[in-house]
Amino acid sequence: MTLADRAPMPPAWVVVFLSLLLGIQPLATDLYLPALPVLTVALGAPMAQAQATLSALLLAFGCAQLVWGPISDRYGRRPVLLAGLAAYTLAAVGSAVATSIEQLIVWRILQGAAMGAAVMGARAIVRDLYPPVEGARMMSKGLSGLGIFACISGPLGGWLTDHFGWRATLAVLAVFSAATLALVALRFRETLPQRNPNALQPAQMLRIWAGIARHPTFWAWALLAAASYGGLFTFLATSSFVFITVLGLSKTQYGLLMFSMSAVYIAGTFICRRLIPRLGVRRTVALAAAFTLTGGTLCGIAAWLGWHSVWAIMGPYYLFILAHGVHQPCGQSGAVSPFPHAAGAASALAGFIMMVTAFLMGLWLGQRMSPDGATGVYPLANGLWFWAVLIAGVAWTLVQRHGEVRPSPQMATPAGRA
């Protein structure tokens, strides 16, 4: 079967769907970040519970992918996307009308679980349609679209919070997901070349999970993506409190700062596409890791020297987020690439690792941050420094040693059809 035979949609439509499905995640997190301090006061919530509206969403997001992945390998990507987007729309409406922090957390958990279908599906679609190197470049295009939504989210969230209150930031998510659901229903065509009828059988699922977990290439790329996302999550979970409460920015100013961060991330995805044909995937990642380590280290040193200002954080962080635009497309596509007939399961496990990483970081941050800003910039700066060191270590060792994609021999053909 040729690539043309396997691609039922024009490449432009593939990019549109990747952008929408991947973009649903930053909208769910970034859009309401300017409202998080207001939300905390309005619902009378302690800091730990306010952080839980983000960390619980991400934990549910990660765990649900372990379910959605095998289901999509069995029944196809399209029905999973339709079910997930419908549930996400319902949860977004529930979040917008929640009257207590406990209700909001419950709705956000459901939203995270539904979001898992969209993001897992996007990564699996790339593996369905493209070989590894082309898959990394296509993923970078989808993540450029994600970056555009991330650019919009910060300023829009700040403006909505200032003019309509925090509930409006959550209601917009329902509008976006409903529109995406309609487009998927009307225009998306199935990408899975061959369904695996045994994908949901317990013994078969264990064999598939075990095969993925034993593959060193999977771990090299999955750990790179997880560590890079850990750094992003650290910024997302702390930045609204640091910049608004500690450093005194308005919500609109904070939104514009988020816009600038997302613009740099988009530039990173463009750089990724330009470097891969010239340097190869592994050397591209190694080069990006130098920017990651430089940015994280400068941010940490500035905090310890007492340079607590917006640009003492954002200047180094631009280096970090620029490299993030390289690490994510390469990491997410690389983790799935060895498993052409178990792409859903591999995508799910990689996503689960990313979200567990974020959840654990959220627990740590929730214990070390205070709503009055007494902890200052240290949780943000120290967290970024930690992740920068870890990212560089993975990129310069595991990825260089195991990053060349070789299909898993146990999964070279669909299960039960070898």
Side-chain angles (χ1 to χ4, degrees):
M1 182 179 291
T2 66
L3 182 60
D5 293 332
R6 292 179 60 191
M9 295 178 291
W13 271 110
V14 175
V15 173
V16 168
F17 283 117
L18 289 178
S19 299
L20 292 172
L21 297 172
L22 294 169
I24 207 167
Q25 182 180 354
L27 285 172
T29 55
D30 298 13
L31 193 67
Y32 93 126
L33 287 180
L36 199 53
V38 177
L39 179 157
T40 303
V41 174
L43 297 179
M47 173 63 70
Q49 284 189 314
Q51 291 284 355
T53 63
L54 182 60
S55 56
L57 173 136
L58 294 177
L59 182 63
F61 171 49
C63 292
Q65 291 180 73
L66 296 177
V67 178
W68 290 120
I71 291 175
S72 74
D73 286 337
R74 171 63 183 89
Y75 295 107
R77 316 304 182 204
R78 190 173 188 276
V80 165
L81 293 177
L82 293 173
L85 289 168
Y88 185 98
T89 304
L90 174 64
V93 173
S95 297
V97 301
T99 57
S100 69
I101 193 69
E102 291 80 10
Q103 288 182 18
L104 180 58
I105 291 172
V106 170
W107 282 115
R108 294 283 280 177
I109 289 172
L110 176 59
Q111 194 172 23
M115 185 167 69
V119 179
M120 177 284 306
R123 289 193 295 262
I125 287 166
V126 171
R127 187 61 188 94
D128 290 342
L129 299 178
Y130 302 101
V133 173
E134 182 60 26
R137 298 183 68 189
M138 183 59 72
M139 179 63 78
S140 75
K141 292 182 181 180
L143 289 173
S144 294
L146 176 152
I148 293 173
F149 288 117
C151 279
I152 296 169
S153 295
L156 179 60
W159 183 81
L160 288 171
T161 303
D162 282 335
H163 291 85
F164 301 101
W166 63 268
R167 295 183 188 278
T169 64
L170 297 170
V172 166
L173 300 177
V175 176
F176 176 84
S177 57
T180 303
L181 173 62
L183 192 62
V184 168
L186 293 173
R187 303 291 299 190
F188 183 84
R189 296 174 63 185
E190 183 59 62
T191 63
L192 183 64
Q194 186 175 6
R195 297 175 183 178
N196 180 358
N198 302 319
L200 294 177
Q201 294 180 4
Q204 185 65 20
M205 290 177 66
L206 289 176
R207 188 187 76 84
I208 291 172
W209 293 125
I212 296 170
R214 287 195 301 265
H215 205 294
T217 300
F218 169 82
W219 282 108
W221 293 114
L223 290 176
L224 178 72
S228 189
Y229 188 79
L232 173 64
F233 176 83
T234 299
F235 185 87
L236 295 178
T238 58
S239 59
S240 61
F241 292 97
V242 168
F243 289 117
I244 295 174
T245 304
V246 178
L247 300 178
L249 296 186
S250 69
K251 299 176 187 65
T252 301
Q253 288 174 324
Y254 170 71
L256 292 174
L257 207 63
M258 295 292 287
F259 175 90
S260 70
M261 177 203 77
S262 300
V264 174
Y265 166 75
I266 293 173
T269 64
F270 278 94
I271 291 171
C272 178
R273 293 201 292 276
R274 296 295 297 271
L275 289 181
I276 286 176
R278 300 177 183 182
L279 302 180
V281 179
R282 286 182 292 175
R283 290 178 63 191
T284 297
V285 164
L287 177 62
F291 286 83
T292 303
L293 185 59
T294 301
T297 301
L298 289 175
C299 189
I301 290 175
W304 281 103
L305 290 176
W307 299 345
H308 298 174
S309 68
V310 171
W311 296 111
I313 297 170
M314 290 305 300
Y317 188 67
Y318 286 144
L319 296 177
F320 187 102
I321 200 66
L322 183 76
H324 183 72
V326 174
H327 295 317
Q328 280 303 301
C330 294
Q332 290 192 35
S333 62
V336 177
S337 292
F339 312 103
H341 297 292
S347 171
L349 186 56
F352 174 75
I353 294 168
M354 288 174 64
M355 293 310 114
V356 169
T357 299
F359 178 77
L360 294 175
M361 191 63 186
L363 293 180
W364 184 83
L365 291 170
Q367 296 299 316
R368 282 158 178 78
M369 293 187 66
S370 59
D372 60 1
T375 51
V377 305
Y378 291 108
L380 188 161
N382 292 339
L384 287 178
W385 198 355
F386 166 79
W387 290 115
V389 171
L390 187 58
I391 291 165
V394 172
W396 293 339
T397 58
L398 294 179
V399 168
Q400 302 309 309
R401 184 177 301 173
H402 302 297
E404 184 178 354
V405 175
R406 296 183 178 89
S408 172
Q410 295 91 345
M411 301 180 194
T413 57
R417 298 177 184 271

